Amino acid sequence: MAYLLLIGTRKGLFTARSEDRRRWEVEGPHRIDAADYASMSAVYAVGVDPHTGRLLAGAESSHFGPSVWYSDDLGRTWHEPASAPIAFPEDTDASFVRAWQFAFGDDPGTVYAGVEPHALFRSTDGGLSFELVRALWDHPHRAEWFPGAGGAAIHTVLPGVLGAGDRSPDAITVAMSTGGVYQTRDGGASWNPANRGISAVFLPEEEPEFGQCVHKVAVAPDGSMYAQNHHGVYRSADPAGEGWTAVEKGLPTDFGFAVVAHPHRPLSAFNFPVVSQEVHLTPGDRLSVYRTDDGGGSWRPAVRGLPQDPYFGIVLRDGACTDGADVPGFYFGTRSGDVYASTDDGDSWEQVAAHLPDVLCVRAAEV
């Protein structure tokens, strides 16, 4: 079995391939458009379609603007649809800034894109064209969603899941900065906030119905969820009902961007702490990963193999992932351009790549 790692950076898309997840062949930056404008542009979103193996990259061209490129040969060649794949309808008075997230539905061809400004788009042709999910765009709360420091973005899209044991092909959970978590049970026809228990320290009301700056939500194999908030780490088996419970005790800080759930163990997850909202550096000037195996009841460092020298590059909200294999691999990239992998259940890490541009997103898959 071969493994593919997609690495979106501030200056282009890189890939890494491996047969054993220990020795990696790193290539890039890839030329994804004919004029080669996008090879030096930021790639904020990448995805691997589990049905077809198609790769998607949401990149920005300094000359032509943002778009979505696709590859059907594992990244060797790239194509852009003839018409803009993501575009806001004229009556919205909005312009597409960038794609932040790709997620894939159970039906072949179904792809969701979380974008900036706050919106969700759906494709039924594998990402060649997308349509705006109007009910979320027209939600009465939208006027009060506002940009976080990183932009007005939907950066988490979880098709088919609402909580532990609560799955449906018509369900979707999204999270955004800044607005919080929203869920639909009817395929996107209606949406409700699901933020009870999550704080919003920057708002007058500490736990409002919506308005939280949820940086990332990861879903566990039983459907329960972990959330890294602007301040606070949370877990929930039922976001819309019981709400969220704080689980940051034992972490060096409650601030961060990324969280990754174990693909086979509901009580296991990985967190990547950041000093604070004002100081986007690693706690104690050390690159560190923390792990829980009891649903956030406790956390322990998982740092074997990581640099012990001072290190300042943090992990961004989409900069960590798992390949979901039977023996799962875990991966993360930093703003210092380093990428690390663990293939022993997170007990130790090995470097995949070094000195890349600022890593924005990482996705891994068996291919």
Side-chain angles (χ1 to χ4, degrees):
M1 181 64 69
Y3 297 85
L4 176 67
L5 191 59
L6 298 177
I7 307 165
T9 78
R10 189 74 67 181
K11 291 187 176 181
L13 175 69
F14 292 75
T15 58
R17 291 178 171 83
S18 177
E19 298 293 328
D20 57 8
R21 298 184 296 183
R22 294 187 180 277
R23 295 176 296 275
W24 294 87
E25 180 182 350
V26 180
E27 297 179 341
H30 288 276
R31 182 170 184 161
I32 64 174
D33 67 331
D36 207 20
Y37 283 108
S39 70
M40 286 291 101
S41 298
V43 177
Y44 280 84
V46 289
V48 183
D49 191 325
H51 304 291
T52 65
R54 170 173 286 177
L55 311 183
L56 297 178
E60 300 174 347
S61 164
S62 58
H63 187 78
F64 294 110
S67 190
V68 177
W69 283 262
Y70 69 93
S71 172
D72 289 327
D73 55 11
L74 298 180
R76 292 175 178 83
T77 60
W78 290 85
H79 312 277
E80 183 183 15
S83 300
I86 297 178
F88 281 87
E90 290 186 5
D91 67 318
T92 62
D93 194 30
S95 297
F96 175 47
V97 175
R98 64 174 59 100
W100 281 86
Q101 179 87 151
F102 296 118
F104 302 89
D106 290 336
D107 294 333
T110 300
V111 186
Y112 295 93
V115 311
E116 182 182 349
H118 300 116
L120 181 68
F121 282 77
R122 180 192 287 116
S123 171
T124 58
D125 57 12
L128 300 181
S129 63
F130 290 81
E131 291 187 2
L132 177 66
V133 178
R134 287 302 299 234
L136 187 58
W137 177 259
D138 293 334
H139 198 286
H141 292 173
R142 187 176 66 83
E144 298 181 61
W145 300 340
F146 59 92
I154 289 181
H155 46 66
T156 296
V157 183
L158 301 172
V161 62
L162 297 167
D166 194 357
R167 295 180 180 271
S168 166
D170 295 323
I172 310 171
T173 296
V174 301
M176 67 186 78
S177 299
T178 292
V181 178
Y182 282 76
Q183 295 184 317
T184 180
R185 292 178 175 274
D186 53 19
S190 63
W191 295 83
N192 294 300
N195 299 295
R196 189 161 64 87
I198 299 180
S199 68
V201 296
F202 43 81
L203 294 178
E205 184 181 351
E206 185 174 351
E207 292 186 9
E209 181 185 17
F210 65 94
Q212 289 83 347
C213 188
V214 179
H215 289 167
K216 196 66 184 175
V217 177
V219 61
D222 66 345
S224 59
M225 299 180 188
Y226 296 87
Q228 173 65 66
N229 192 41
H230 190 82
H231 271 292
V233 181
Y234 299 87
R235 184 175 184 270
S236 178
D238 181 15
E242 298 177 0
W244 298 84
T245 300
V247 294
E248 66 261 18
K249 186 177 180 179
L251 291 169
T253 168
D254 66 357
F255 191 87
F257 293 100
V259 61
V260 174
H262 196 291
H264 309 310
R265 300 178 185 172
L267 299 181
S268 295
F270 294 85
N271 185 270
F272 305 82
V274 175
V275 170
S276 69
Q277 63 182 2
E278 298 87 5
V279 181
H280 288 188
L281 295 172
T282 53
D285 300 337
R286 293 292 186 273
L287 180 59
S288 58
V289 180
Y290 278 73
R291 176 178 182 154
T292 182
D293 290 305
D294 56 10
S298 63
W299 296 86
R300 59 180 174 84
V303 297
R304 188 152 61 99
L306 298 182
Q308 297 304 300
D309 295 331
Y311 194 98
F312 305 99
I314 65 170
V315 181
L316 295 178
R317 54 174 52 87
D318 223 30
C321 70
T322 175
D323 56 26
D326 291 341
V327 178
F330 299 96
Y331 310 85
F332 70 90
T334 75
R335 297 202 70 177
S336 296
D338 300 318
V339 179
Y340 291 89
S342 173
T343 57
D344 57 5
D345 209 36
D347 287 337
S348 65
W349 301 90
E350 295 186 0
Q351 193 170 68
V352 173
H355 312 306
L356 300 182
D358 189 351
V359 175
L360 304 177
C361 57
V362 175
R363 281 290 180 273
E366 295 180 274
V367 293

